[in-house]
Amino acid sequence: MATFTIAVAGKGGVGKTSFCSLLIRWLIENKRTPILAVDADPNSNLSEALGVGEIEETISEIISLTKEIDGIPVSMSQDEFISYKLSSALTETKNFDLLAMGGPQGPGCYCFPNNVLKKHLTKLEKNYQTVVMDNEAGMEHISRGTTTEHLDALFILSDTSRRSVRSAARIKVLTKDLGVPVKNIYFVLTRAQEGDIETLGDELKLVGLPLAGVVPNDETITKYELAGRALYELPSDAPSVVATTKILNETLGGN
Ligand SMILES: Nc1ncnc2c1ncn2[C@@H]1O[C@H](COP(=O)(O)OP(=O)(O)OP(=O)(O)O)[C@@H](O)[C@H]1O
Ligand SMILES: [Mg+2]
């Protein structure tokens, strides 16, 4: 079966990582496993939201090694090295594996290692039923092409600030301009309080996408964050979990 790829994008702090952790939970509950979770945010924290320990090595660190004089064992080609390192960079759990892209790399040309990486990532993704990408604010990883070439579903998230709604509109345009083939784009409003949708009014229409759903501002999330608990383990009756489940049933349920 072909791998189903999902990306989550939106301005900084709108709730992408939180949404991703609930999305992964939904995918597990709906038996869309095995899952590859890709943390494409340099300030990675998907591992925390998922309750997985520290990430040992990021993709950026591996790519940097290929640039160092003694970075690659003499017995290995760059290709073999990236392939070998990629599998050791996977944090494996029962239902999902996690891969962190890591921060920006130092100066120099990375076209070659990036292309090699892309080839291996494409191969790796085939081992999974679902790939979930938690993106940094903006679409850099997609534009650089270091991750998936096509998306089955793109969730563009926005909180109820006008700036973040405009940013969602820009991401939608950018996706089209970059020519990223996306089957379905869903617009989700996060951290909403009563009356927010009415207040935003026509601003929401500027995004040019129907609202796929609303995740309410949920105190349970705040409490879990404060206590350092994984959002992945939120109670199933928490308002954010109920809302996310509804959104995912309606958008991905039939896929
Ligand atoms: N539905 C919600 N209700 C209340 N708080 C929320 C909700 N969703 C996210 N948050 C809180 O908002 C903050 C940002 O959330 P999160 O890290 O998921 O956003 P992000 O878009 O991934 O941010 P970044 O762009 O920095 O990666 C966190 O402190 C999180 O606990
Ligand atoms: Mg995040």
Side-chain angles (χ1 to χ4, degrees):
M1 198 208 283
T3 306
F4 193 88
T5 53
I6 309 168
V8 179
K11 195 175 178 298
V14 296
K16 299 180 291 294
T17 301
S18 311
F19 185 83
C20 272
S21 59
L22 298 181
L23 166 62
I24 289 167
R25 170 172 159 163
W26 182 90
L27 289 166
I28 294 168
E29 280 165 8
N30 286 274
K31 307 205 164 42
R32 311 269 187 108
T33 53
I35 300 162
L36 175 65
V38 181
D39 190 347
D41 187 338
N43 306 305
S44 340
N45 55 5
L46 184 61
S47 58
E48 273 169 43
L50 290 172
V52 175
E54 283 281 301
I55 296 291
E56 283 192 18
E57 199 163 30
T58 68
I59 296 293
S60 292
E61 286 160 359
I62 295 171
I63 294 291
S64 294
L65 277 177
T66 67
K67 288 280 154 188
E68 284 173 21
I69 291 174
D70 299 325
I72 303 181
V74 282
S75 59
M76 275 188 189
S77 68
Q78 192 171 43
D79 201 303
E80 284 165 344
F81 178 73
I82 292 179
S83 165
Y84 154 74
K85 275 294 199 179
L86 199 57
S87 51
S88 68
L90 272 181
T91 304
E92 293 171 338
T93 76
K94 182 165 170 261
N95 291 306
F96 63 85
D97 292 347
L98 181 64
L99 202 59
M101 298 303 287
Q105 301 138 22
C109 176
Y110 287 91
C111 293
F112 183 66
N114 275 342
N115 285 337
V116 174
L117 171 67
K118 195 168 158 181
K119 185 183 85 182
H120 287 296
L121 272 181
T122 308
K123 212 161 75 185
L124 179 76
E125 283 170 2
K126 291 199 171 53
N127 300 333
Y128 298 89
Q129 184 175 172
T130 318
V131 174
V132 174
M133 264 183 290
D134 180 11
N135 280 281
E136 58 191 318
M139 301 288 282
E140 281 80 359
H141 277 285
I142 289 177
S143 66
R144 259 186 254 135
T146 47
T147 40
T148 316
E149 289 164 324
H150 87 281
L151 291 173
D152 290 290
L154 170 65
F155 286 91
I156 303 181
L157 268 49
S158 167
D159 63 19
T160 56
S161 75
R162 283 169 197 267
R163 286 205 311 171
S164 112
V165 176
R166 279 173 208 163
S167 171
R170 271 196 301 278
I171 291 173
K172 186 203 159 208
V173 172
L174 189 63
T175 312
K176 284 243 149 61
D177 289 353
L178 291 171
V180 182
V182 186
K183 238 188 217 155
N184 286 301
I185 307 183
Y186 304 108
F187 174 41
V188 173
L189 202 64
T190 57
R191 312 192 60 178
Q193 317 232 28
E194 256 197 76
D196 284 348
I197 294 188
E198 290 73 19
T199 311
L200 281 169
D202 285 347
E203 187 84 40
L204 289 176
K205 293 198 184 113
L206 296 178
V207 180
L209 290 167
L211 204 52
V214 180
V215 181
N217 197 63
D218 185 355
E219 265 181 33
T220 340
I221 290 196
T222 319
K223 282 188 191 140
Y224 265 57
E225 284 272 357
L226 196 64
R229 294 181 68 180
L231 297 184
Y232 181 70
E233 285 157 12
L234 280 169
S236 54
D237 60 352
S240 53
V241 179
V242 173
T244 309
T245 305
K246 181 171 182 283
I247 293 168
L248 297 173
N249 283 340
E250 289 171 4
T251 52
L252 306 181
N255 284 308

